[in-house]
Amino acid sequence: MKLNDPRLFRQYAYIDGKWTHGDGGREEAVIDPATEETLGHIPLLESHQIRAAVEAADQAFVQWRALRADERCERLLAWYDLLQANREDLAIIMTLEQGKPLPDARGEVEYGASFVRWFAEEGKRTFGQTIPSHIPNAALGTIKEPVGVAALITPWNFPLAMITRKAAAAMAAGCTVVVKPASETPFSALALAELAERAGIPAGVFNVVLGDAAQVSDVLCHEDRVKALSFTGSTPVGRLLLEQSASTVKRVSLELGGNAPFIVGPDVNPKEAAFAAVAAKFQTAGQDCLAANRILVHEDVHDEFVEYFAERMKALKVGNGLVSEIDIGPLIHRRAVEKAASIVDDALSRGATLVHGDQSMAPGPNFFMPTLITDVTSEMKIWREENFAPVAGVTRYSTDEEAIEMANDTEYGLAAYVFTHDIRRIWTMLRALQNGMVSINTVKMTGPPIPFGGVKQSGLGREGGTAGIEEFLDTKYYCLGGLGSVSGS
Ligand code: NAD
């Protein structure tokens, strides 16, 4: 691995400002999904070491929360500057462990860093309230206080941004964090720790633990000193962590799976809509919770849409993300390739039509060629499950009511896309769709100021925006009595 700064590549956990190996001597290899070569090894920590990280975070919380908001802001901005300065190395590490093309990895570093800058400033605006008093001679109000230690458990598809979107909010609020990255992509998290240290973030404020996922999560969820759990990942694991966190009644926020509908109205330019749908489907090789999972196209524009979609996707280049001009990298591992193949087979066996997608062209065992299938129906797995692969499924519809019913026919409710210029249709769909986020006539919708999150079984709470920092704050109410006559109370 050729980095400008090799010290960004760390193969230890990071607890209380110290690089730490596993006490039991257990290790795990981290694999480059493009080549299946071993990139390095990470320690698998023992349960007592996870507790030590919580203890360190709990100790550090005392000092960190006592800093003024502008002092925390300065430290976070220093971290932001280092993320920017080391952008290229961070992107290389990400492409190697996750597989996404280098330009996308650079984009993620930029995106991830933007949360640090945004929350650094937002930490200065955690205002309480003054409440007009209903009690004689009293002043009433609220103060916002950090909840305490936050455990952050993150997935492999966005190895850096899913951490900063949580950690920057928590740290700006005055919380300390214990991060458990996905074991497939630990090196981005460890590079973040190295840069946090260089930025002067005190020991114990930002910790990274590594180990067996179920074991680590079990400790974090049952630890009473962990006051908030913020998880991004699949719905089944989210459900499990919610259940485990009940034992200590933690604040829980969950960013879970999606099954995004992409609705194309009868009035749109089918070429523009098709190109937008390709962008919404194939980023990160389709391994994106926002990926268009069910493409619903009005019958008037269906055939043209499919033609343009196929034309555009045929131009996508598949290969190792380190090579220039690659659009689609590998999937994260062979299991993901097998799942994609089974989803396509299931759809074809139930009557779907394969328009494009020749797997014999795949450049390696972890690659899946972009695939387009039409005539998708609701009995197929591709309809029910988040396919998390470069597989696009198209369904034809006739009326707006039908499109809405189809779009809502899922337990998920993260993002939805609507393409139409009819203002009444836009408003009707916006109100009827059971999703936390609706993107209209564009596929680019995320960023630091927005409340990212889902409804139904796509999660609880929001990340980003003013709502994002609230996940890490308690509201303390005060009633200051015996004041005599308080004017305006
Ligand atoms: P995952 O649920 O398998 O893993 C997420 C994290 O949980 C990882 O750190 C993993 O090590 C840990 N984990 C796995 N099994 C566990 C267990 N039994 N007990 C405790 N912890 C466990 O998800 P993934 O495959 O890494 O990521 C893909 C999923 O994440 C998709 O469903 C995707 O939609 C979702 N996602 C959601 C958002 C969002 O913002 N809503 C963003 C990105 C990804």
Side-chain angles (χ1 to χ4, degrees):
M1 185 181 304
K2 283 209 182 80
L3 299 177
N4 291 320
D5 183 350
R7 282 182 312 145
L8 289 180
F9 182 68
R10 294 289 191 165
Q11 301 186 63
Y12 295 100
Y14 183 72
I15 298 174
D16 202 13
K18 294 178 205 71
W19 296 101
T20 308
H21 57 76
D23 277 354
R26 293 183 299 142
E27 278 192 344
E28 190 171 64
V30 180
I31 307 295
D32 174 347
T35 61
E36 296 198 324
E37 281 165 17
T38 298
L39 291 172
H41 291 83
I42 49 162
L44 301 174
L45 303 185
E46 303 302 314
S47 294
H48 72 266
Q49 295 183 284
I50 312 298
R51 279 188 213 100
V54 173
E55 169 67 19
D58 197 39
Q59 293 288 326
F61 178 58
V62 179
Q63 302 284 332
W64 184 248
R65 74 170 295 188
L67 291 179
R68 294 190 316 271
D70 62 297
E71 292 173 317
R72 283 196 295 268
C73 173
E74 290 305 318
R75 301 241 175 39
L76 288 169
L77 287 179
W79 196 26
Y80 167 79
D81 288 342
L82 287 168
L83 294 181
Q84 289 290 8
N86 292 279
R87 190 171 74 133
E88 196 58 20
D89 280 351
L90 293 169
I92 291 170
I93 291 172
M94 190 187 300
T95 292
L96 284 168
E97 65 180 359
Q98 202 280 337
K100 66 180 67 182
L102 199 51
D104 291 1
R106 290 187 189 113
E108 184 182 335
V109 176
E110 193 81 44
Y111 176 67
S114 71
F115 287 96
V116 178
R117 185 169 63 177
W118 201 88
F119 280 115
E121 293 296 339
E122 189 62 8
K124 297 184 206 161
R125 291 184 276 274
T126 56
F127 304 123
Q129 274 186 316
T130 300
I131 303 172
S133 180
H134 62 299
I135 299 169
N137 306 327
L140 316 182
T142 63
I143 301 169
K144 296 285 180 177
E145 295 187 335
V147 295
V149 177
L152 315 178
I153 303 180
T154 55
W156 47 261
N157 58 346
F158 291 93
L160 188 139
M162 294 303 97
I163 296 176
T164 54
R165 196 164 75 177
K166 297 175 189 301
M171 288 155 69
C175 296
T176 53
V177 303
V178 178
V179 181
K180 207 296 282 173
S183 49
E184 292 87 346
T185 57
F187 296 130
S188 295
L190 297 168
L192 280 174
E194 169 67 27
L195 295 175
E197 183 174 297
R198 291 184 201 174
I201 290 174
V205 173
F206 184 89
N207 305 275
V208 179
V209 295
L210 305 163
D212 171 72
Q215 182 187 351
V216 175
S217 306
D218 185 63
V219 174
L220 293 175
C221 290
H222 289 103
E223 254 288 346
D224 199 32
R225 291 172 295 183
V226 173
K227 301 299 180 195
L229 170 77
S230 178
F231 170 76
T232 298
S234 61
T235 296
V237 175
R239 252 184 232 123
L240 187 78
L241 300 185
L242 182 61
E243 225 174 279
Q244 289 181 352
S245 298
S247 63
T248 47
V249 194
K250 288 188 201 320
R251 184 81 74 87
V252 178
S253 45
L254 303 172
E255 295 290 345
L256 307 179
N259 184 355
F262 189 107
I263 302 175
V264 180
D267 60 312
V268 297
N269 175 332
K271 184 174 179 181
E272 278 173 24
F275 284 17
V278 168
K281 173 67 243 183
F282 295 110
Q283 231 199 342
T284 323
Q287 303 170 113
D288 184 342
C289 55
L290 298 182
N293 211 51
R294 291 167 302 145
I295 303 174
L296 312 175
V297 186
H298 192 273
E299 57 192 5
D300 289 356
V301 289
H302 176 275
D303 294 352
E304 267 190 284
F305 175 93
V306 168
E307 265 175 47
Y308 284 121
F309 191 101
E311 176 193 314
R312 183 71 160 193
M313 69 184 278
K314 282 177 194 164
L316 298 173
K317 292 204 178 62
V318 179
N320 187 324
L322 287 179
V323 175
S324 63
E325 292 182 8
I326 287 298
D327 301 294
I328 298 189
L331 299 189
I332 192 70
H333 37 47
R334 290 190 186 203
R335 285 196 310 286
V337 174
E338 283 156 19
K339 183 181 166 197
S342 90
I343 279 181
V344 172
D345 290 349
D346 170 79
L348 298 184
S349 73
R350 292 174 195 269
T353 309
L354 179 67
V355 178
H356 183 69
D358 177 0
Q359 299 315 318
S360 69
M361 306 289 285
N366 287 344
F367 291 86
F368 201 85
M369 299 304 287
T371 299
L372 171 62
I373 48 188
T374 54
D375 304 313
V376 166
T377 58
S378 60
E379 310 79 58
M380 299 173 186
K381 277 194 208 167
I382 188 169
W383 183 279
R384 303 256 142 241
E385 295 177 19
E386 185 182 32
N387 73 50
F388 242 52
V391 180
V394 176
T395 305
R396 185 192 298 262
Y397 74 85
S398 313
T399 64
D400 288 353
E401 292 70 30
E402 200 187 350
I404 291 166
E405 200 179 313
M406 285 176 165
N408 289 339
D409 178 27
T410 168
E411 79 252 29
Y412 295 105
L414 193 60
Y417 302 88
V418 177
F419 275 69
T420 174
H421 300 296
D422 180 324
I423 188 70
R424 284 190 199 189
R425 180 175 293 120
I426 289 176
W427 187 247
T428 305
M429 294 210 174
L430 178 59
R431 298 309 305 269
L433 289 172
Q434 298 164 351
N435 298 84
M437 299 176 282
V438 181
S439 186
I440 302 152
N441 294 329
T442 179
V443 295
K444 188 169 165 38
M445 63 164 141
T446 64
I450 68 125
F452 191 107
V455 298
K456 294 161 81 177
Q457 295 194 33
S458 283
L460 295 172
R462 292 292 178 269
E463 285 189 350
T466 49
I469 201 163
E470 285 293 329
E471 301 289 337
F472 300 100
L473 291 168
D474 280 326
T475 299
K476 182 177 277 178
Y477 160 69
Y478 65 83
C479 171
L480 183 56
L483 294 179
S485 173
V486 183
S487 100
S489 65

